[in-house]
Amino acid sequence: MGNPVLRRIAEPIADPTDPAVARLAADMIATMLDAPGVGLAAPQISESRRIIVFRVPADRSEGEEVANTVLVNPMIEPLTDDKVLGWEGCLSIPGLRGLVLRHKCIRYRGYGLDGARIERVASGFHARVVQHEVDHLDGVLYLDRMDDLRLLVCTEEMHHLNAALAAANKDAPTRT
Ligand code: NI
């Protein structure tokens, strides 16, 4: 955070099947797994281009595991007005976690490295990860989505807020 590349609008990718795009994606997946993280957007490795990678591990999936996915020129469409609070961290903002309100259910579209269209409906953690990564392509960090910075904590202090999170989502799942 602080590097101007994270605040730029990233450039669309003209040809998802360009071998240079495949090399960039492989580098991004390696970086994500090494961190370890669940998602990465190209601006985070100083490439201002519209490509993200993500995964939904079994222990975060709420029943739906998603293998490493590459999405070129992604677009998001919320499917309902429901929003939900959940924890987010970012490899570009080490040591912190925040409770961020996101659309609960989305449809996302984009292209794979083979040039084929990808279109999926996602909810829960899957939807959250994709929204976080697509924000990076528009120069937006999760901190920008927070109206209450009391919900921003050091990673090792997260447990103090988990009861508050459970109550907030139970009482007001559509809070905006
Ligand atoms: Ni991030």
Side-chain angles (χ1 to χ4, degrees), residues 44 89-91 132-133 136:
Q44 295 184 272
C90 182
L91 299 177
H132 176 116
E133 299 311 333
H136 275 299

Side-chain angles (χ1 to χ4, degrees), residues 6 39-41 44 88-93 132-133 136 140-142:
L6 287 176
L40 194 78
Q44 295 184 272
E88 295 187 23
C90 182
L91 299 177
S92 301
I93 310 171
H132 176 116
E133 299 311 333
H136 275 299
V140 174
L141 300 174
Y142 79 82

Side-chain angles (χ1 to χ4, degrees), residues 49-63:
R49 309 183 73 189
R50 300 190 80 82
I51 176 171
I52 65 172
V53 300
F54 59 91
R55 64 196 178 103
V56 181
D59 61 340
R60 303 295 297 274
S61 68
E62 296 146 19

Side-chain angles (χ1 to χ4, degrees), residues 6 10 30 33 35 39-40 49 59 61 67 71 82 99 103 107-109 113 119 126 129 135 138 146 151-152 156 174:
L6 287 176
L33 296 177
L40 194 78
R49 309 183 73 189
D59 61 340
S61 68
L71 204 58
D82 285 353
L99 284 171
H103 295 292
R107 175 181 289 119
Y108 63 84
R109 297 185 171 90
L113 296 175
E119 179 175 331
H126 182 187
V129 171
D135 265 355
D138 295 322
M146 297 182 65
L151 303 181
L152 181 69
E156 60 271 24
T174 59

Side-chain angles (χ1 to χ4, degrees), residues 5-26:
V5 72
L6 287 176
R7 294 307 193 172
R8 249 174 244 154
I9 306 291
E11 292 292 326
I13 289 176
D15 177 9
T17 67
D18 182 338
V21 175
R23 285 195 294 275
L24 173 59

Side-chain angles (χ1 to χ4, degrees), residues 163-176:
L165 169 65
N169 281 331
K170 182 162 169 273
D171 297 343
T174 59
R175 203 183 74 150
T176 54

